[in-house]
C-alpha cells in the first residue's frame, strides 16, 4: 500500500510540475488599487468582487498586496478611519509572485511553506496579470480526485454502503 501511495504521490507531483498555473483558472484581470488609495477603497473592492485581497500598483507595476489578514491585523482598531489609512501602510510590500506559465507546484509551495493564501501573478515587467488563491488550488485538486471527492458520503460519520443502492 505504501509503495502504491508513493507512486501516486510521485505522479501527482510530476503532473503539478508540468501543468502551468494558468490551468488553475486564475482571476484575470486581478483586482487592483493604486498606491495612495485608502484602505476603505480596498475593502469595498474586496466586497464587490468577493475576493480576499487586492493588488497594489504604482504606474501599473505591482508594489504590494492587501489581504483580509492585513486589514484585520493592521487596521482593525481603526475601522472608523479606513478612509484615512493608505493602502501602502497596511500592505505587504514586494510580495512573492509567480507567472502564468510557472508550474502549479510552485504555487502550492508558496502557499504551503509560507502560508500565503493569495499569490499575485505578474508578467516579466512585474505588471499584474492575475492572482490565485487557495480556492483555485483546492478546485484543481478536487477536479483531479473528482471520483473520490464527489462520491463521499454527506458527513464523515456516514458509512459508505458496501452494496449498490437503487435500481
Amino acid at each position: 500500500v505504501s509503495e502504491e501511495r508513493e507512486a501516486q504521490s510521485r505522479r501527482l507531483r510530476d503532473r503539478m510540475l508540468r501543468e502551468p498555473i494558468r490551468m488553475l483558472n486564475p482571476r484575470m484581470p486581478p483586482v487592483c488599487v493604486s498606491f495612495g488609495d485608502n484602505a476603505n477603497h480596498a475593502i469595498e473592492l474586496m466586497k464587490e468582487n468577493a475576493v480576499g485581497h487586492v493588488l497594489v500598483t504604482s504606474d501599473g507595476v505591482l508594489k504590494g498586496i492587501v489581504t483580509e489578514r492585513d486589514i484585520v491585523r493592521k487596521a482593525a482598531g481603526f475601522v472608523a478611519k479606513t478612509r484615512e489609512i493608505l493602502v501602502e501602510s497596511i500592505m505587504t510590500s514586494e510580495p512573492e509572485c509567480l507567472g502564468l506559465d510557472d508550474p502549479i507546484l510552485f504555487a502550492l509551495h508558496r502557499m504551503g511553506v509560507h502560508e500565503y493564501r493569495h499569490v499575485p501573478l505578474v508578467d516579466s515587467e512585474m505588471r499584474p496579470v492575475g492572482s490565485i488563491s487557495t480556492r483555485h488550488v483546492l478546485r484543481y485538486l478536487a477536479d483531479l480526485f473528482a471520483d473520490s471527492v464527489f462520491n463521499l458520503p454527506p458527513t464523515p460519520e456516514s458509512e459508505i454502503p458496501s452494496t449498490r443502492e437503487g435500481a
Side-chain angles (χ1 to χ4, degrees):
V1 172
S2 66
E3 288 178 20
E4 182 181 324
R5 193 170 281 168
E6 195 173 304
Q8 287 175 338
S9 177
R10 228 180 355 265
R11 284 192 300 275
L12 179 60
R13 184 192 65 233
D14 292 347
R15 180 175 180 168
M16 292 176 76
L17 267 171
R18 279 191 321 273
E19 292 186 350
I21 287 173
R22 68 178 66 247
M23 298 284 293
L24 297 176
N25 295 317
R27 173 175 272 284
M28 294 170 50
V31 180
C32 296
V33 295
S34 296
F35 221 69
D37 282 348
N38 62 45
N40 190 67
H41 181 58
I43 293 166
E44 289 301 318
L45 283 176
M46 285 186 211
K47 288 186 337 191
E48 286 171 22
N49 292 280
V51 295
H53 69 287
V54 292
L55 304 183
V56 181
T57 61
S58 177
D59 296 322
V61 175
L62 182 70
K63 295 297 179 185
I65 184 171
V66 175
T67 66
E68 295 165 318
R69 189 184 292 179
D70 291 325
I71 292 166
V72 168
R73 287 184 178 168
K74 300 172 186 172
F78 307 98
V79 174
K81 298 185 178 201
T82 56
R83 283 182 168 67
E84 299 169 22
I85 298 171
L86 299 180
V87 290
E88 53 266 30
S89 69
I90 60 171
M91 73 180 188
T92 299
S93 298
E94 300 178 15
E96 289 192 43
C97 307
L98 292 168
L100 287 169
D101 294 318
D102 286 328
I104 291 171
L105 198 57
F106 286 19
L108 194 60
H109 177 266
R110 299 269 190 317
M111 291 174 168
V113 172
H114 302 292
E115 297 184 4
Y116 300 150
R117 290 186 239 174
H118 311 280
V119 178
L121 304 175
V122 295
D123 65 15
S124 61
E125 296 175 8
M126 290 300 291
R127 291 183 305 235
V129 295
S131 65
I132 55 170
S133 68
T134 51
R135 182 182 307 145
H136 292 96
V137 175
L138 289 173
R139 282 189 191 133
Y140 172 83
L141 292 172
D143 286 346
L144 283 180
F145 299 101
D147 287 344
S148 299
V149 172
F150 297 116
N151 290 316
L152 286 175
T155 61
E157 298 81 31
S158 300
E159 288 191 31
I160 299 173
S162 57
T163 59
R164 193 172 164 172
E165 296 178 355

